[in-house]
Amino acid sequence: MDFLGIADNSPERIRRLVDLAADVKSDPGRFAGRLSGKSVGLFFMKPSTRTRVSSEVGAFELGAHPVVLRNEEVGIGGRETVEDVGRVLDRYLDVIAMRVFEHGHLESIAAVAEAPVVNLLSDTEHPCQAIADLLTIAEHRPGASLAYVGDGNNVCHSLVVGAAMMGSPVRIATPAGYEPDERFIAMARTFGEVVTTNDPAEAVDGVDCVYTDVWTSMGSEAEAAQRVAAFELFTVDERLFGQAADDAIFMHCLPAHRGEEVSGPVMEHTRSRVFDQAENRLHAFKAVLLDILS
Ligand code: CP
Ligand code: NVA
């Protein structure tokens, strides 16, 4: 079964993945070697630190063999078509996990491959990140309210749909013109309360979790200067974070740009959970592989 996006899944599967990630985290030895004899492709068309390492280590710890590929060596779109690459990888691998620019590339591979395809980030969704984030939120307080402040991007799409599925009230604050795709807002609203605003203070007021991500995602670098101007009032700094609940946590998928979407003191705050989120990427990816391959 593919894992291309949070929005493609039932709330039951998302909750099952979060519960399994929690089980893996609490007792990793119980799952060691479960995927012995399996081979997992990890294909990257963009840079990565967390996803690259957590997926390779996660596969290894489950007993699977990770095969890491960069597009510089494969050449999708130049050396070979995306469909031909998919057909070939399908002959060798039990799972094809990919980080791509265009979400459609994942769908093209999924259409020709029998092996399940996993999204390691596309322009539309970042679902493995969302499972780690939902675990982090559940560790703080199940059903905790969430404010996402910043760009209505891939991370935002997966997070808000997943959080709504998990029973969290969600508020999203973006500058005008940088709202998330309406499709994800509409889907999240089928599961719970979702408020959108252009005012970060309105979103953050009294919430349990404050989340932000970079203003310029990989692939949009040409827009960076224009985005810095548009997002000027959207930095999660001590003043804004101080308007959340007294025990609120700060979240960021990383990499972070201190002085842009988050201030240095908020990154280093005692209630910043950003490195727990990064750790939870490992447990989350193991849960995804176990769910797909066991
Ligand atoms: N959060 C995340 O996906 O980080 P990387 O881009 O380093 O993998
Ligand atoms: N929105 C960011 C997330 C990086 C993990 C990007 O796509 O670059």
Side-chain angles (χ1 to χ4, degrees), residues 47-52 99 126 129 218 253-255 281:
S48 174
T49 303
R50 281 142 289 271
T51 308
R52 165 76 170 75
R99 169 167 287 196
H126 196 0
Q129 178 71 50
M218 292 180 279
C253 58
L254 306 181
R281 292 295 308 277

